[in-house]
Amino acid sequence: MISIDFEMRAVILSPEYMKSMVLFECSSWSFRSFVEQHPVFSLNNDEARLLKQYYNLLYEKLTGTPRKHQKELFDALLEMFHYDFYDTMERFYNENPKTFSSSEVLFRNFLELLNVPGNNCRKVAFYADKLHVSPKYLSAVCKEVSGQTAFELINQYVLKNVKYMLQWSPKSIKEIAMELDFPNLSFFGKYVKRYLGVSPKQYREQLSSDTSSKISD
């Protein structure tokens, strides 16, 4: 039954957007399973007001006048919402805490390695060696926990760095390729072309064109 004065707010994200944000934490995967079994929670007034404030701000950023850093602002807001949401849900989730399985622990350790500053290795074997498991086993665990293979997750992190550097770094494309540990400029160009659909130069030009268009608008 729904009352006459019922109101609802919803934040709905596509799987593709979630992957691009790389909001992966072992706790979030186990929490998702918990929510599937317990889909309804009653919030107190403070909790409801906090999440509604996030909703209103996210909605404003999506529908308001486009700004130069609109996507970056929205991504940052969504990440803040992500953490506040889990902190809010903690009082429900902690009533029935879940012990991480060995697979989830391995997955978390793998993500921590991906996040090490300066690490740009794209080989599954490199991470498997660090975690003392076989590449095949690491990939199977990643697939089990996240639905994606280790190689796919590595590529997401690498591409996130590639896109950031091409957009914001003043360095040349050759310098970026070296900094990201690509063997040569040709290999870097083929990698970007394969996953972004255009060459590094074209990607930069597109970003520059989009920014100029937004400013003129």
Side-chain angles (χ1 to χ4, degrees), residues 91-130:
R91 68 183 178 90
F92 303 101
Y93 188 48
N94 280 346
E95 292 176 3
N96 184 25
K98 178 183 180 297
T99 302
F100 292 133
S101 68
S102 58
S103 294
E104 290 169 324
V105 171
L106 178 64
F107 181 71
R108 168 178 281 186
N109 291 340
F110 171 59
L111 294 188
E112 288 179 353
L113 285 177
L114 285 178
N115 275 305
V116 172
N119 173 38
N120 296 299
C121 186
R122 298 179 300 282
K123 296 181 179 179
V124 176
F126 169 82
Y127 299 96
D129 183 62
K130 293 282 187 182

Side-chain angles (χ1 to χ4, degrees), residues 74-87:
F74 185 81
D75 289 349
L77 275 172
L78 193 60
E79 189 164 357
M80 291 171 63
F81 169 78
H82 167 83
Y83 289 116
D84 251 329
F85 174 77
Y86 281 104
D87 285 350

Side-chain angles (χ1 to χ4, degrees), residues 113-189:
L113 285 177
L114 285 178
N115 275 305
V116 172
N119 173 38
N120 296 299
C121 186
R122 298 179 300 282
K123 296 181 179 179
V124 176
F126 169 82
Y127 299 96
D129 183 62
K130 293 282 187 182
L131 297 167
H132 309 292
V133 296
S134 71
K136 184 177 180 180
Y137 180 74
L138 176 59
S139 194
V141 165
C142 290
K143 187 73 174 179
E144 174 193 343
V145 177
S146 71
Q148 296 176 277
T149 65
F151 182 75
E152 289 170 334
L153 290 168
I154 291 169
N155 266 344
Q156 285 179 26
Y157 276 79
V158 173
L159 285 171
K160 185 178 181 181
N161 289 335
V162 167
K163 289 189 285 187
Y164 179 85
M165 293 287 285
L166 288 175
Q167 182 171 5
W168 301 112
S169 175
K171 296 180 179 180
S172 68
I173 293 175
K174 183 178 181 180
E175 289 173 324
I176 291 173
M178 293 177 61
E179 185 169 331
L180 294 177
D181 293 334
F182 283 85
N184 52 59
L185 184 58
S186 176
F187 188 93
F188 179 64

